[in-house]
Every structure is written in C-alpha cells, then in structure tokens.
Amino acid sequence: MVAWSASAVAALAFGSAVSAGAAGTPGRISTIAGGVGGPGPARSVSFQTCASSSDRGGCGLSFAGGNLYFTDLGPLDGDGLVRQVSLKTGALSSPAGDGQAGDGGDGGPAAQAQFLRMQDVGTDGAGNLLVTDGTRVRVVAAKTGSFYGQSMTAHHVYTVAGGGTGTNDGQPATHVKLSPLGAVVDRAGNIVIWDISKVRVVARTTGTFYGQAMTGGDIYTIAGGGHNRLSGVPALKAEVFPLGVAVDGSGNLVLAADDSVRVVAVRSGRFYGQAMKAGDIYTIAGGGHRLADRGPARSSLVNPEGVALDRTGNVIVADGFDRRIRVVAVRAGRFYGQAMKAGDIYTVAGGGANNKKNRKSGIVATKAWLLPTRAVAVDSAGNIALIGDSSTTVQLVPSRSGTYYGVHAQARHIYAIAGNGLKWTAGEGGLATRAQIVPVGGAVTADDGNLAMSVSSPDSGTFDPFVELVAHRSGEFFGQPMTAGHLYRIAGNGQGTFAGNGALATKSGFAFILSMTGDRHGNLLISDDIGGHVLVIAEHSGRFYGRSMLAGHIYSIAGTGRSGDSGNGGPAVAAKVGSGSLGVDRDGNVLLRQTFLLRVIAERTGTFYGLHMKAGDIYLISSKTEGTGGDGGPAGSAQFEVDGGLTVDGTSGVILADAFRLRMVATATGTFFGVHMIAGNVYTIAGTGNKGVSADGGPALSSDLSAEFPVVDSAGNLVFRDYVAKLVRVVAGSTGTFYGISMTADHLYSIAVGGGGSRSGGLGDGGPSLDATFGDLGQLAADRAGVAVSDDLRIRQIGGP
C-alpha cells in the first residue's frame, strides 16, 4: 500500500532516475522525470521534425561525420532542439537544445541551451553544427578551438550572426537583425544565410567573394532584393524566395527557390549544362507547367522546399507540393536504379496513391505516398533521407541494400529510421528521466517516493490528460507491477470523459485535471476541470468512502457529472460539484476548494470545522459569498476569492492560496507562521492583499505576493508559486538554513526563478536552484527530500529543505 503524506504532496529522490546532483541536497536542482527523451534507439523516441508548410518552422536535415542531424520543434512547436542519429547504429542523442523555448545558453553547454522557433541545422567542414532559430545563427563547436572569430569550447553554443538591431550590409554579423530560415558554410568557409527574400554571407576572412569585396566577420547580401525573375541576371537584382540552399562541388550555391531550382555561380564557367557568370543566378530546374518526369528539368513543374547534392553532384530536390523526391542528373549514368540523362529530372521517391498500403515503411519508394516533402539530405553511403510537412518521422531511401541507422533496408525502398510515429509521447515503462512528458496539472507523491503527475498527449490532438506515475521502489501499485525509477500510466485514455464507476482507470478519460492529491489509504483523488466529479483511483482493493473498490479502477465520490455547487448537507454523490483544488485533512475528510467556496466531503461521521457531519455527505464550511473578509473569525463566516490551491499543514490547519494572500483555516489552537490562532477560525499568514512583488527577506505578512499551489515541506516551511513574479517562494516556518539559504521565521524568500530561456546558464541540474534555468513554473509538491515543480517538459526537484 502507498502511504500518502498528511499534506498529500511530496517529491522524493529516485536513485538512478535522478540526473546530476545528489537528490535531496539542500538548494540543489535535479530532473526526476521528463526531458527530451533518449538517448536510445531513434525509432523509440518521438518528436515533431517539421512545422506545417504554412508556418515555415523547422525542417532542418543534414548529414556529417557519420551522423544524421535534424530539427525537432518539441511538443508545442515553440521550442526547438537538434537530434542526432548514428548511421552505423541508429542510436539517437540530442546535442543541442533542452526543449524549452527561449534564447538563453550562449557560451554554455549546447544541450542545456534554449532555442526559439528553430528553423534549420547544418554542419561545416570542421564538424561544427550551424543552428538557426528565430533571430540568430548559432554554432555548436565540435571541438575546442577558434571558429568564426570566436574562441569556442567543445559542445558549447555561440551566436555568430543575428541578435542585433542593424539592417545594413557591411557591418558585423552579430550586430544585425535577422530572421534566418537556414545556414550552410561554403567552400571558402563563409556562412551562407537565407531568409524569406535574400541570401546573405558572413565572410570568414577579408577578401572577394561572390563578386564583392568583404571584410571578415561582416555580413553581405549576395542574392535577392530585386524584382527580376529571369535566368542569367545578376543575383543581386533577382527576386528570390529561398527555402533551402546547398553548396555544390564547384562552390556554387544551389537554391530551392520559388517554383524552381536555381544556381548562384561563385565563378564563371560551365555548370549544369549552362555557361554561367560569377555572381549571376540561373535556373536549372522548374519553370514548366506540368510534372515532366524523365524529361528536361527546366521544362518540368517543380515546387522545391529543400535541396541536397549527392557524391556525383546530382541535385536532390524535396518537391513539396508534388510529394516527391526528385533528382536532376548532373551527367548521364545510372543512379538510384534508373538510367538518367544529364539535365533531366526523375522521381526516386513518392508519387504513389494515398492509401494505407502506400504509407507503410518498407515499400518500393516510387510507390510511396509521402507528406509534402520539406527537407532532404544525402548521407555518406549515398542514401537519401527526407522529412515531410508536420512529420513525426525521418525516412530513408537506400541507394543499395544494407543496414543503415539500425534498420535492415532494401535498395530503393523507403523506411522510417527515426521517430515512433507519435508527437512527444514516448518512454512509458522505461526510466522516467528518459521519457517525454508534458506536465499539465498537479504533481503529488507518496511518503515512499512514488510520484504521480498529470501530463498531456500532444499526439492525441486534444491534449486530454493522462495520469503517470514514477515508482520510487519496485512493487505493485494501482494494480500494476512497477520497476523503481520507471514511468507508468495509471489513468486516462485521451477521450476526455469519465467512463463510469468501476471502470479501469486507464480506460477512463479526463477533460483537464485541475488538482490531484492522495489520501491516507494510498488512493489518488482527482478534480476534473469540467467533469463534474471528484474521482478516486484505488491504489489497492478495499472499501473506501463507503464503496468497495478494486485496485487500479476509478470511482466518483462526489458529483452528478454536472458542474455546480448545490447539495450541501446531503450525499456528496447527489450534489453538484465544480472543479477545484483538493486536499485531505488530518481526519481523512476530502477538502474541495471550488472558486471562492470551501467544501468538505466527510469520510466518517463526526464534528469537523464546527459542523456535525455524516460520512459521505458534503458540507460548505465557508461563506457563500466571494470576498476578502472574515479574518480572525469562524471559517463559516469567512469569504474567499480566487482558488489558487490548498494544502494541509499537519494537524494545525488548512492553507489556501487566495489571490494575493495565503490564508489558513486553523484546526488547532496555537501560533502558526507567527500568527496566534484559535481552532476553527481563519487567518492571513502571508501577503498584504495587494498585487505586487516584494523583495526577499521581509516579513511575509507585510509582503506583496501572488500565490498559487501552496505546499508545506518536511521542515514546516510554506512553499508556493508566485505567478506574477515567476518565482518559487518560501515562508519560513522557523529560523534556520533551508534550500541553502539562511532564513528567518515567518519571512519571505525565493528559491527558484522561472520565465524561460532568457536567462543564461542552461538547465543547471546539479547546481543551486537559483542559478538554474526554468521555463514556465507549474504546480508544486513537497516531501522529506525537497520540492518538486513542473517545468515545461520536466518534473524537477529542488533538494532540501
């Protein structure tokens, strides 16, 4: 049986499941569940490689040094990270990005940095990664050294272009404002950047490139900005809308632009069957009015979204609208199983009918139905990798039969080599720190360390939540055998509706889990936002709340299924209830904070909160009207405002976050948080009632704050989220050192700062919590080892107290 703590909220170290830093060390931060997934087999991890074509985000794909690299936009298409897959083994890792949206981390480890609206990933000749996000081009150094005029440390990230305010050419690249869609490095070592209407170059050294005199480190436009769409005109006078750029063996730039594939000649000569002049732009494919496969490329309809060059110099085109991968042959020969003629265009993947058979992995590539293809790359074995519009997989067309990326593949067939087909839903049954989750609700744990959380499933399209549990020790919980440190689903089916009393919890749905808490029997109680029930998932079989229950099954203990606040004084199952915060008091009664009402579901018959109660009935123990009054008087006369959560402080009282105050319904007479209290009465213990952010170190009662999700830690401190200040704050229960900070009793302190990646330094696991980077701080939980907080894609622990 799980013995839930009296406060019903806690978070504990999980041994091997915890990342860097000793869990429970005061003030130190660690991840206990979630993250970016992996490392592991590429086909076991889920991601979003591409945004929709209308959004233009993402879709980076490149190959270098035995690895395939691609962009992952994360579960909400707002963050970004880079994934790496080994050609030899198929193992996936994540060399850049922590999954949080932001722009922090420059100068620090790339895997702990934040990216915002990631667009593309490429590589240079030294093996460095070039990553473009919303406003910058950044470099992840492959080794320690000097690159692009900066000293860099291996595996750290640095901005090399963008992030400034300038708009003119001929100034340092880091001083200009950019909206880059991608970047590559040319044969001279210059960085070539493209946006929606221009191609620009950051000169590596001082010299003449693309017909222009350039100063090293400065940025220059080399194509676009004009209105001429003809072939053979100066690139600077041309109108271009580049979606992808590659560098060919002669150093020319090959552009996927508009409705054609175009070339900016780096020097004068004959290329792609045409005489070209340095600095001019030429069309080599597209411009036709029909899909003319096996004919001249310049007479065919082409809608390129990305380009790549194979070892022969053939141009590989991601033909988005036509849902194909096409090849423009640079010379006559046999390529990709077809006899090809120089200058002609051929389909090597896609073009099949839209049916289930043609969407399977392992079919002949030219019979496959593809998503609109958005990016393409060619690896060192000559295989073509591709990703499509809003895709959750990376696909491969092998040039010859063999084993690539851990997949046994037949030449000219098509295979999924990365992704499990879902969007950010992976890792159930495995280590919690290698799982991918999106926490959306309450996080609670048991005294023995099991952590329960509510998470959404972006893959479902509805974001209807599930309840996941991380086992601290091996055993059977909620009817399932579990291994310590692993993640399991214990409730939710993604459908959003209650399946009825006695249903298996994993077969029942939730609209939105507003609050969760545990009772003294180990059961989990849930408040569904619009479901009109207070629900119980039985941890083991037995009789609870007047009903026989089976382990792992779900039951309603209050509510008719219709939201409301009627039925007080009668059976809870016949009353209307709305969503609200839940708690369990020292007598086992269930507290429901429903907006400004405080209600109690009696577990047994007796006198509680000054009222005689009958087991199973529901009672109102606050005023029926909203307000701020009643301090010092009986709870039944007190007024409350907005529900910000509640918690139970041992035997002394119930603490409620009430807009800009923290208030307490005393269940014992004594002095708590510096306030003398009489049992049954209500008192303010922190906050002035004014919206604001007071500095640390002052008395809590005279501080401005905005409180949500209060919890009481094992030292008796009151911990809460300040949603205006984006802080995790503490009202010290006594004088001492807590979370690595010297505190005075009943005074206010901060122990973590949220707000996303604008702060530098990365995630900060293993270091002090005040130095760590958090995203959007969510709900809290606490126990002997510290405080757990939901943080974008993770549950993290601030060790202590």
Side-chain angles (χ1 to χ4, degrees):
M1 183 187 83
V2 178
W4 297 87
S5 62
S7 66
V9 287
L12 195 61
F14 291 97
S16 62
V18 177
S19 60
T25 302
R28 296 282 164 168
I29 190 73
S30 57
T31 296
I32 55 179
V36 299
R43 287 181 293 166
S44 71
V45 178
S46 58
F47 30 72
Q48 178 79 13
T49 59
C50 241
S52 67
S53 57
S54 60
D55 192 27
R56 304 307 321 168
C59 293
L61 184 66
S62 64
F63 182 88
N67 296 303
L68 190 67
Y69 297 93
F70 61 92
T71 53
D72 182 355
L73 300 184
L76 303 177
D77 297 350
D79 0 314
L81 60 152
V82 175
R83 303 290 199 175
Q84 171 185 302
V85 186
S86 165
L87 170 64
K88 184 176 181 180
T89 67
L92 179 139
S93 57
S94 304
D98 64 19
Q100 293 180 176
D103 58 6
D106 264 14
Q112 296 181 8
Q114 294 83 46
F115 295 85
L116 186 64
R117 302 304 299 163
M118 184 176 284
Q119 297 287 338
D120 189 41
V121 58
T123 56
D124 66 13
N128 305 313
L129 294 181
L130 277 78
V131 184
T132 54
D133 60 9
T135 60
R136 296 181 293 172
V137 178
R138 304 167 78 181
V139 168
V140 179
K143 60 182 179 181
T144 299
S146 181
F147 307 100
Y148 308 106
Q150 298 185 45
S151 295
M152 298 186 181
T153 301
H155 312 304
H156 285 47
V157 67
Y158 304 84
T159 294
V160 294
T165 58
T167 58
N168 297 326
D169 283 356
Q171 60 181 308
T174 52
H175 292 182
V176 299
K177 182 179 181 180
L178 292 178
S179 297
L181 297 178
V184 294
V185 174
D186 68 16
R187 293 172 66 85
N190 306 309
I191 301 175
V192 180
I193 303 167
W194 62 96
D195 62 19
I196 196 167
S197 63
K198 292 182 180 180
V199 180
R200 307 179 80 179
V201 166
V202 179
R204 180 183 176 221
T205 59
T206 298
T208 300
F209 309 101
Y210 305 97
Q212 297 185 50
M214 299 185 182
T215 300
D218 287 2
I219 192 167
Y220 302 85
T221 299
I222 62 167
H227 301 286
N228 197 324
R229 301 191 69 181
L230 296 176
S231 183
V233 300
L236 278 169
K237 295 183 178 180
E239 181 181 69
V240 295
F241 298 97
L243 298 175
V245 176
V247 181
D248 70 15
S250 299
N252 304 309
L253 301 183
V254 182
L255 281 62
D258 313 312
D259 56 356
S260 58
V261 179
R262 312 185 78 184
V263 171
V264 177
V266 70
R267 58 181 174 84
S268 297
R270 189 168 184 81
F271 311 103
Y272 305 99
Q274 301 181 50
M276 298 187 180
K277 180 183 176 182
D280 284 5
I281 190 167
Y282 300 84
T283 297
I284 64 170
H289 299 289
R290 64 186 183 86
L291 194 65
D293 256 4
R294 310 186 70 81
R298 280 185 284 170
S299 299
S300 178
L301 177 67
V302 179
N303 293 279
E305 301 258 353
V307 289
L309 283 298
D310 67 14
R311 292 175 295 179
T312 304
N314 300 313
V315 180
I316 316 300
V317 182
D319 193 342
F321 180 80
D322 298 314
R323 299 173 182 264
R324 298 168 185 248
I325 297 297
R326 306 175 77 187
V327 173
V328 179
V330 71
R331 62 175 175 82
R334 190 168 184 83
F335 310 107
Y336 307 102
Q338 301 182 45
M340 297 187 181
K341 182 181 176 182
D344 283 6
I345 192 166
Y346 303 83
T347 293
V348 296
N354 182 5
N355 56 49
K356 186 175 181 181
K357 178 181 178 181
N358 290 344
R359 293 194 294 269
K360 288 184 177 180
S361 182
I363 67 170
V364 175
T366 51
K367 294 183 178 180
W369 182 85
L370 303 178
L371 294 167
T373 52
R374 297 278 304 282
V376 65
V378 181
D379 67 22
S380 57
N383 307 311
I384 298 173
L386 62 136
I387 54 179
D389 195 56
S390 301
S391 178
T392 55
T393 60
V394 179
Q395 294 175 285
L396 190 80
V397 180
S399 62
R400 63 182 63 185
S401 299
T403 299
Y404 310 103
Y405 305 98
V407 176
H408 299 293
Q410 186 176 347
R412 299 182 298 282
H413 288 55
I414 191 164
Y415 300 86
I417 58 168
N420 64 2
L422 304 176
K423 183 179 177 181
W424 215 263
T425 302
E428 285 183 352
L431 280 170
T433 51
R434 294 190 177 185
Q436 291 169 264
I437 60 174
V438 183
V440 293
V444 298
T445 65
D447 283 337
D448 57 1
N450 291 330
L451 171 74
M453 69 197 86
S454 114
V455 303
S456 75
S457 174
D459 182 65
S460 70
T462 63
F463 287 83
D464 291 327
F466 301 95
V467 180
E468 305 273 5
L469 184 137
V470 182
H472 173 52
R473 59 179 176 84
S474 299
E476 183 171 308
F477 308 103
F478 297 96
Q480 298 184 48
M482 299 185 183
T483 301
H486 287 222
L487 180 76
Y488 300 88
R489 182 177 301 179
I490 62 172
N493 64 1
Q495 300 302 311
T497 55
F498 177 47
N501 285 310
L504 195 65
T506 52
K507 302 294 185 181
S508 186
F510 309 96
F512 182 84
I513 296 174
L514 187 70
S515 178
M516 299 194 303
T517 194
D519 68 15
R520 57 185 179 179
H521 306 292
N523 306 312
L524 188 64
L525 293 98
I526 296 174
S527 173
D528 191 343
D529 187 40
I530 59 175
H533 292 282
V534 175
L535 301 169
V536 174
I537 304 172
E539 196 282 318
H540 62 282
S541 298
R543 190 168 182 82
F544 314 106
Y545 306 102
R547 183 194 299 271
S548 294
M549 298 186 181
L550 296 175
H553 290 241
I554 194 166
Y555 304 85
S556 173
I557 62 167
T560 63
R562 299 184 64 182
S563 182
D565 57 16
S566 63
N568 293 314
V573 293
K576 289 183 180 180
V577 299
S579 60
S581 301
L582 293 173
V584 178
D585 68 18
R586 61 177 183 176
D587 296 303
N589 303 311
V590 178
L591 297 155
L592 172 63
R593 174 82 185 278
Q594 194 174 322
T595 313
F596 56 85
L597 304 176
L598 183 58
R599 304 171 80 184
V600 173
I601 304 164
E603 189 193 33
R604 60 184 175 85
T605 299
T607 299
F608 312 103
Y609 307 99
L611 297 175
H612 180 73
M613 299 186 183
K614 180 182 176 183
D617 284 5
I618 189 168
Y619 300 86
L620 178 66
I621 61 168
S622 68
S623 171
K624 296 180 181 180
T625 60
E626 181 178 3
T628 60
D631 269 13
S637 301
Q639 295 174 306
F640 298 102
E641 294 184 280
V642 178
D643 175 18
L646 65 85
T647 190
V648 179
D649 182 20
T651 61
S652 57
V654 179
I655 298 171
L656 301 92
D658 193 31
F660 308 119
R661 295 185 294 170
L662 285 157
R663 303 172 76 187
M664 184 168 175
V665 180
T667 53
T669 297
T671 299
F672 312 107
F673 297 101
V675 179
H676 180 71
M677 302 185 187
I678 298 173
N681 288 0
V682 174
Y683 302 87
T684 294
I685 57 175
T688 62
N690 298 316
K691 181 179 179 180
V693 181
S694 291
D696 285 355
L701 275 169
S702 59
S703 297
D704 294 333
L705 51 83
S706 304
E708 281 188 325
F709 314 134
V711 296
V712 177
D713 67 21
S714 60
N717 304 306
L718 176 57
V719 187
F720 65 96
R721 172 196 171 193
D722 190 315
Y723 60 87
V724 170
K726 297 183 178 179
L727 299 169
V728 177
R729 312 196 80 177
V730 174
V731 178
S734 59
T735 298
T737 300
F738 308 105
Y739 306 101
I741 300 170
S742 178
M743 299 186 183
T744 300
D746 313 319
H747 285 52
L748 184 68
Y749 303 88
S750 300
I751 60 172
V753 181
S758 59
R759 302 181 69 222
S760 61
L763 279 171
D765 277 1
S769 60
L770 279 172
D771 292 340
T773 298
F774 289 82
D776 292 328
L777 296 169
Q779 295 199 13
L780 306 180
D783 85 347
R784 294 184 299 270
V787 174
V789 55
S790 62
D791 176 24
D792 283 345
L793 310 179
R794 299 164 175 81
I795 302 292
R796 304 177 73 192
Q797 177 182 276
I798 304 169

